[in-house]
Amino acid sequence: ARVESRAFFSSVVLVRGEPGAGKSHLVQNMKHPLTKNGWLYINCNFDRLAQSQALATISSAFEDFFRSLVESKTYIENRDHAEDGDEFLFTMLASIEDNLEVPGIVVLSQFIPSLRSLYPNIFQRVVVEELSESDCEQDDWDNANILDSSKSSSIDCIDDDCDDDDAFIDANIFQNRLHYLFQKLLRAISNPESPLFFFLDDLQWADCSSLRLLSSLVMGQDTDDNPMCVCFVGSYRSSEANINQSLV
């Protein structure tokens, strides 16, 4: 894979074929030449057994990516000298904080726990504020309602039959906000000099919430001053695509 130009906006490529045809191998062989040329790489492998867990697989893919940033950040901080490339990491972290701000980072940390390790000062401040508001004892901070984790599961209401109109509306509001935050996250970590290659393997097993999120990311409006420089590459089994009607 040779990068002719990095000045581009988001693009989408779909690869389909029969099981065992080599779709995944074909795409994964692009990782080394792309990363060698400055690309970032996220791999998301959907699984039939995880279909019932909304956003679980795609969240795990983001978590793997950000966990590697945590490891890099720890290594840099424990090193006694600077090296080329250090600035890239801290520039990305600053871009994420500028784009998402504290509330956005806190919300996304429900899906990407490594954000808490990347921004410890933010979450220490959140803990202190929650403790002050709830008059909790310092020893009980683990039990404080620091993050409303119920919101992260409310998105399931959209996929399931929901008789509660208010709950359905709340779930839609949270979903729209979540999609917006993931769009801002991708804009923060990608740029024309360091585009992102996002591989989505076995899309026929993707849950409906993940497909809606991916659709939102792909269709998100780009701006000239803050583009989402992402190449989405999805693979799926042509013989089983009808299993997931949302994909069809």
Side-chain angles (χ1 to χ4, degrees), residues 53-169:
Q53 305 173 43
L55 300 179
T57 303
I58 199 166
S59 295
S60 178
F62 275 101
E63 171 64 10
D64 289 343
F65 175 79
F66 280 97
R67 189 185 303 116
S68 70
L69 297 188
V70 172
E71 294 172 354
S72 297
K73 182 171 180 282
T74 302
Y75 172 72
I76 292 173
E77 291 175 340
N78 291 334
R79 207 174 52 218
D80 57 3
H81 63 280
E83 293 182 359
D84 294 339
D86 291 357
E87 184 179 353
F88 174 78
L89 173 62
F90 291 104
T91 299
M92 179 190 294
L93 295 180
S95 176
I96 293 172
E97 188 169 1
D98 289 343
N99 277 269
L100 293 175
E101 301 181 336
V102 171
I105 292 175
V106 171
V107 170
L108 286 184
S109 71
Q110 299 177 55
F111 301 89
I112 311 172
S114 285
L115 288 174
R116 305 180 192 186
S117 299
L118 288 171
Y119 300 97
N121 292 338
I122 287 178
F123 289 92
Q124 288 171 5
R125 187 163 70 248
V126 170
V127 170
V128 171
E129 290 174 354
E130 287 286 343
L131 288 171
S132 298
E133 292 176 2
S134 60
D135 292 324
C136 291
E137 294 294 333
Q138 184 64 32
D139 292 340
D140 296 330
W141 74 271
D142 282 322
N143 297 321
N145 187 23
I146 297 166
L147 297 175
D148 187 358
S149 60
S150 63
K151 289 183 178 179
S152 63
S153 60
S154 68
I155 199 169
D156 292 328
C157 181
I158 300 175
D159 293 336
D160 302 328
D161 293 332
C162 187
D163 297 328
D164 189 334
D165 291 340
D166 290 337
F168 183 79
I169 293 173

Side-chain angles (χ1 to χ4, degrees), residues 228-242:
M228 184 190 299
C229 300
V230 183
C231 179
F232 296 94
V233 178
S235 72
Y236 66 95
R237 300 177 182 179
S238 53
S239 60
E240 300 180 27
N242 61 334

Side-chain angles (χ1 to χ4, degrees), residues 197-248:
F197 188 91
F198 202 147
F199 180 36
L200 303 143
D201 198 12
D202 282 332
L203 276 170
Q204 75 275 356
W205 302 128
D207 60 277
C208 293
S209 293
S210 292
L211 289 176
R212 281 195 295 267
L213 173 58
L214 292 172
S215 177
S216 174
L217 296 177
V218 169
M219 302 299 292
Q221 294 297 315
D222 279 318
T223 59
D224 291 336
D225 60 335
N226 192 20
M228 184 190 299
C229 300
V230 183
C231 179
F232 296 94
V233 178
S235 72
Y236 66 95
R237 300 177 182 179
S238 53
S239 60
E240 300 180 27
N242 61 334
I243 293 175
N244 193 328
Q245 294 299 320
S246 300
L247 178 59
V248 177

